[in-house]
Amino acid sequence: MSIFSDEDKVKVLSDIIEIQTINDNEIEVAQYFQQLFNNYDIESKIINVEGSNTRANLVAEIGSGSPVLGVSGHMDVVTTGDRDSWNYEPFKLTEDEDGNLHGRGSADMKSGTAALALALIEIKEAGTLNNGTIRFMATAGEEITSSGAETFYKQGYMNDVDALLIAEPSQDGPVYTHKGTMDIRVTSKGKSAHSSMPELGFNAINPLADFIHYLNEAYSKVDVKSDILGTPTMNGTVINGGDQVNSIPDHAEALFNMRTIPDFDNEDFEKLFNQIKERVEQAKGVQLSVEPYVNRVPVYTTANNKLIKDTQSFAQTFFNKEFNLTSTTATTDASFFMKDKDEDFSFVMFGPGDPGQAHQVDEYVSKTVYTQFVDFYTELFPKYLNR
Ligand SMILES: [Zn+2]
């Protein structure tokens, strides 16, 4: 007997979509889940993130001892984008005639996080877990820096975790590897002066222009490719400097976004940037700084473990269709959760929602898929942990 009907499941998703968590305010969703867990005597703890009163993680556990299965989803969402192009209210879950539930975060990924929370309660109430622990970790800040996952990692919540499932939207196939991401800010410092007397100042733009030129030249010679993840990418995407046409600029900066793979990872990019910095700084007076401000490493596993095999085979039975193991170019909280884990670690990303729906206008998740995932997790987790 299930505790939650499909209507109950949709109500929970609807409630947390109404709580707006655009890169902030995750604490209200954490409090909502805490209240829900309290109703079923599941203890949970709210952990503040980024020294903020409004950004918080939530952790809850059932069972005891090892092995520990970590299950995780994030509570933040991205902005609505162009609000006028939405056909639905972004923060009110709305069902269309095809049975799709629309709202910001419906796919990415309040449906996944809600499905995990509901499954935790179902398993506790059914008493079906007789070995090990399920640790539910809901995070803040996934969409920008993964600050919530970083907090869990730093506070030791991953130390005893033997296997990790992340419920990001991937309903068409369990994911076992993904790219990393990195943002670097390069700043050039100069000295302002009137443009008629440039010798009294130092132009910050020129060294930055050299930097960009040398960087692109060096990167064009990087020739690496992973069979599964493809090539890394590097793009200069923002540039700023100076503020008046007849003043020598004392400041210029450029931002770069990278997508990384294990064969050319975040450290390799940082090294490359620092080599170029040294080269440009050989000229007199140049002062550059290289500052990585988003740093999420790629996640690679061999996919040769019980968690991913159990997930794939039970999914085929449960959903009655073929599932291939796959990869994604997106990045998840696993970049921080798995910082100390190696390629043999048991990791899978598998959750409700089509990955193409993430960050879209009129974002949706299928009602059937979402409600089925609650039941899928409810059966999968004890099946994986029980001896
Ligand atoms: Zn997501």
Side-chain angles (χ1 to χ4, degrees):
M1 258 305 281
S2 301
I3 306 290
F4 300 106
S5 66
D6 285 353
E7 285 67 42
D8 297 333
K9 294 170 188 167
V10 172
K11 173 78 167 69
V12 167
L13 179 57
S14 166
D15 288 344
I16 61 172
I17 291 232
E18 281 179 30
I19 303 172
Q20 296 193 25
T21 55
I22 304 170
N23 304 316
D24 201 349
N25 194 39
E26 295 91 341
I27 193 156
E28 281 192 51
V29 175
Q31 286 164 341
Y32 179 91
F33 283 133
Q34 183 161 63
Q35 185 56 52
L36 190 64
F37 288 147
N38 281 346
N39 297 342
Y40 298 94
D41 295 323
I42 297 174
E43 270 184 49
S44 62
K45 191 177 163 194
I46 289 175
I47 300 166
N48 286 86
V49 171
E50 295 181 17
S52 161
N53 293 326
T54 52
R55 312 210 72 171
N57 288 340
L58 181 74
V59 58
E61 273 183 17
I62 61 169
S64 65
S66 72
V68 178
L69 170 64
V71 300
S72 180
H74 62 82
M75 299 179 283
D76 55 322
V77 298
V78 294
T79 58
T80 56
D82 179 12
R83 181 94 185 223
D84 292 338
S85 35
W86 281 71
N87 293 305
Y88 302 88
E89 275 290 310
F91 297 102
K92 189 174 183 331
L93 195 69
T94 311
E95 186 173 353
D96 69 18
E97 56 199 9
D98 300 321
N100 292 321
L101 304 168
H102 295 263
R104 174 54 86 226
S106 53
D108 184 17
M109 59 167 290
K110 285 178 170 170
S111 57
T113 309
L116 294 174
L118 294 171
L120 199 73
I121 295 168
E122 291 284 2
I123 296 164
K124 157 100 181 355
E125 290 295 301
T128 46
L129 180 67
N130 59 44
N131 186 55
T133 303
I134 303 171
R135 180 173 301 151
F136 170 83
M137 294 178 281
T139 61
E142 190 277 339
E143 292 292 357
I144 297 186
T145 59
S146 271
S147 52
E150 186 176 15
T151 300
F152 272 134
Y153 165 77
K154 283 187 173 159
Q155 296 189 0
Y157 282 92
M158 280 302 293
N159 292 353
D160 58 348
V161 169
D162 301 285
L164 175 69
L165 178 140
I166 291 193
E168 288 269 12
S170 49
Q171 63 187 26
D172 294 327
V175 169
Y176 66 97
T177 182
H178 67 67
K179 281 186 172 178
T181 183
M182 187 174 202
D183 294 334
I184 294 183
R185 177 184 294 112
V186 178
T187 308
S188 170
K189 202 170 166 300
K191 186 169 183 286
S192 59
H194 195 280
S195 59
S196 63
M197 295 172 282
E199 67 281 3
L200 298 181
F202 188 87
N203 190 323
I205 288 181
N206 295 335
L208 188 66
D210 288 344
F211 183 96
I212 294 169
H213 174 70
Y214 294 142
L215 179 70
N216 285 331
E217 189 181 65
Y219 185 68
S220 71
K221 298 190 182 103
V222 171
D223 182 22
V224 287
K225 190 173 192 301
S226 138
D227 289 345
I228 308 149
L229 293 172
T231 58
T233 62
M234 181 193 87
N235 288 287
T237 46
V238 177
I239 184 163
N240 274 307
D243 47 21
Q244 184 166 318
V245 73
N246 60 350
S247 291
I248 298 299
D250 63 356
H251 179 94
E253 66 170 41
L255 306 182
F256 299 83
N257 176 265
M258 277 64 64
R259 300 291 164 147
T260 63
I261 62 173
D263 306 296
F264 202 87
D265 65 9
N266 300 42
E267 272 182 37
D268 293 319
F269 272 109
E270 196 171 346
K271 218 182 283 169
L272 176 68
F273 273 67
N274 280 312
Q275 279 165 5
I276 305 297
K277 168 179 155 23
E278 276 173 36
R279 179 174 170 186
V280 179
E281 279 183 337
Q282 281 168 9
K284 198 168 160 269
V286 174
Q287 288 183 66
L288 290 173
S289 68
V290 167
E291 178 204 347
Y293 64 98
V294 171
N295 204 346
R296 300 160 74 183
V297 298
V299 165
Y300 177 73
T301 71
T302 58
N304 186 21
N305 61 71
K306 186 175 179 304
L307 177 67
I308 196 143
K309 285 177 181 162
D310 281 8
T311 302
Q312 184 185 24
S313 69
F314 182 55
Q316 296 189 147
T317 313
F318 183 91
F319 295 100
N320 193 25
K321 68 178 213 188
E322 279 285 312
F323 285 101
N324 292 318
L325 301 182
T326 176
S327 66
T328 172
T329 54
T331 307
T332 73
D333 277 334
S335 294
F336 277 101
F337 281 136
M338 287 169 60
K339 240 182 159 146
D340 294 338
K341 313 293 185 191
D342 63 15
E343 63 182 34
D344 295 322
F345 183 75
S346 298
F347 164 70
V348 66
M349 164 180 146
F350 191 46
D354 172 350
Q357 281 299 315
H359 306 193
Q360 293 286 335
V361 161
D362 289 340
E363 177 181 351
Y364 69 85
V365 66
S366 150
K367 180 175 159 180
T368 311
V369 171
Y370 160 59
T371 56
Q372 281 181 329
F373 258 92
V374 178
D375 303 341
F376 172 74
Y377 291 144
T378 302
E379 284 191 62
L380 174 70
F381 300 160
K383 200 184 275 288
Y384 171 72
L385 286 166
N386 287 346
R387 289 289 170 267

